[in-house]
Amino acid sequence: MLRLLQIEFEKLRYSKASIVLISTYFILLALIALFAMIKFDIGPIKFHFAELGMFNFPYIWHFNTFVAGLLKFFLLLVIVSMVSNEYSNKTLKQNLIDGLSKKEFILSKFYMVIAFSLVSTLFVFVVSLILGYIYSSYTEPSIVFSDLEYLLAFFIKLVGFFSFGLFLGVLVKRSAFAVATMVVLFFIEFISYAIVSGYNRGTEVADKIYQFAPFKSLWNLIDEPGSRLSAVQAMAQQVGEDISYDYAVHWYEIAIVLGWTAIFIFLSYQLLKKRDL
């Protein structure tokens, strides 16, 4: 595994575009801290994001992993370009000539997917821990280290999403077309979900069906955290609305995403195995 990772990092070192995208991604993750500094003071409207409880333990794990998950597109571009560059630069054929098997080639890309996901998760963990200890009203270890399942969900979410990108990169061979294909597939799933929801309004038919769809299953891992804030729930109660949901990370949601991850990696290998290079 280490040998395959070393090969991939060596290739990555010479890709300026990938370095820029990776740097941008981690800079944006670090800028989550800016939420804590934003203060609104417009006439009668005065509030400070940090005072809303966004950075309280254990809520911060939910909030930060959700926001960080929205930025994963930057690393997706890196994953897809890593595959497409193998075709455009003829390095794939050279790797195979040098003795790398097709299975090892796919594994090397998948190991990079895991590496990116793991580093991102550790980065979010450190940033959240620092912000939490600065702004949280609760610093007891039992509270600080509760709800860490959101970090696991975040890691699984990245692995699944990047594996999807890896598969499309192998399938399409061109990074721009691969990303465009993912966008098209997203809108197909989103529109079909909206249609099914419309025909079955007031029921959970659409959610039960689409929990097995790629994009919906990824989204389900970490539910939106905004309505979980006590300030938001208090406002909803004042107008007679109940906006409480099940925010927990469920094992079956993780299992579905892991299932898709296995499918994407298997299909990537099968495509490469049967393709004449």
Side-chain angles (χ1 to χ4, degrees):
M1 184 178 78
L2 292 177
R3 178 178 68 90
L4 296 178
L5 276 174
Q6 186 177 6
I7 293 172
E8 291 303 318
F9 279 118
E10 192 66 24
K11 294 176 184 177
L12 196 62
R13 192 159 62 95
Y14 294 101
S15 175
K16 292 182 179 179
S18 295
I19 292 173
V20 169
L21 287 169
I22 293 170
S23 301
T24 302
Y25 172 74
F26 283 104
I27 289 172
L28 288 174
L29 285 184
L31 290 181
I32 291 177
L34 286 179
F35 278 104
M37 304 176 188
I38 297 177
K39 295 182 179 181
F40 279 93
D41 189 357
I42 307 174
I45 304 175
K46 297 180 181 180
F47 67 88
H48 182 194
F49 273 116
E51 294 175 354
L52 293 177
M54 288 183 174
F55 300 102
N56 275 341
F57 288 120
Y59 176 79
I60 191 171
W61 303 118
H62 187 180
F63 177 77
N64 280 5
T65 52
F66 179 82
V67 174
L70 300 177
L71 304 175
K72 61 186 180 294
F73 185 77
F74 288 93
L75 279 189
L76 171 70
L77 296 177
V78 176
I79 299 295
V80 172
S81 65
M82 281 172 54
V83 179
S84 62
N85 288 342
E86 298 283 1
Y87 288 99
S88 59
N89 298 332
K90 308 297 182 182
T91 50
L92 170 55
K93 185 176 291 185
Q94 186 60 50
N95 285 157
L96 297 177
I97 293 173
D98 292 339
L100 198 70
S101 69
K102 292 182 177 181
K103 180 180 179 180
E104 287 178 321
F105 176 81
I106 293 297
L107 282 177
S108 68
K109 301 303 181 187
F110 183 57
Y111 291 153
M112 284 298 290
V113 163
I114 293 176
F116 279 137
S117 303
L118 184 59
V119 172
S120 299
T121 303
L122 290 174
F123 191 84
V124 170
F125 171 76
V126 172
V127 170
S128 301
L129 202 62
I130 293 172
L131 288 174
Y133 272 112
I134 292 174
Y135 294 103
S136 179
S137 304
Y138 315 100
T139 55
E140 296 83 355
S142 60
I143 296 177
V144 170
F145 296 106
S146 60
D147 281 7
L148 287 182
E149 61 268 21
Y150 287 105
L151 286 171
L152 173 63
F154 177 67
F155 172 74
I156 299 297
K157 186 173 189 173
L158 292 187
V159 171
F161 187 68
F162 297 154
S163 296
F164 196 179
L166 171 60
F167 164 65
L168 292 177
V170 174
L171 176 66
V172 183
K173 299 183 183 181
R174 294 290 183 271
S175 56
F177 291 145
V179 173
T181 300
M182 179 171 278
V183 172
V184 170
L185 290 174
F186 168 77
F187 278 108
I188 290 174
E189 183 179 316
F190 177 79
I191 293 171
S192 62
Y193 171 77
I195 292 173
V196 175
S197 297
Y199 276 110
N200 298 275
R201 190 168 299 172
T203 69
E204 297 181 354
V205 172
D207 289 328
K208 288 180 179 178
I209 295 174
Y210 280 84
Q211 67 176 330
F212 297 103
F215 292 104
K216 182 62 173 173
S217 63
L218 289 168
W219 177 265
N220 286 344
L221 278 176
I222 304 176
D223 295 311
E224 60 82 20
S227 58
R228 187 181 173 186
L229 279 171
S230 56
V232 175
Q233 295 210 356
M235 291 174 60
Q237 289 175 1
Q238 289 179 359
V239 295
E241 291 290 334
D242 181 12
I243 58 173
S244 58
Y245 301 104
D246 180 8
Y247 301 102
V249 177
H250 299 285
W251 68 268
Y252 57 85
E253 294 170 339
I254 291 177
I256 291 170
V257 174
L258 289 177
W260 275 115
T261 301
I263 291 171
F264 292 141
I265 300 304
F266 175 75
L267 291 178
S268 299
Y269 172 62
Q270 290 299 315
L271 275 173
L272 193 64
K273 186 179 178 181
K274 296 179 181 179
R275 185 170 286 167
D276 184 12
L277 302 175

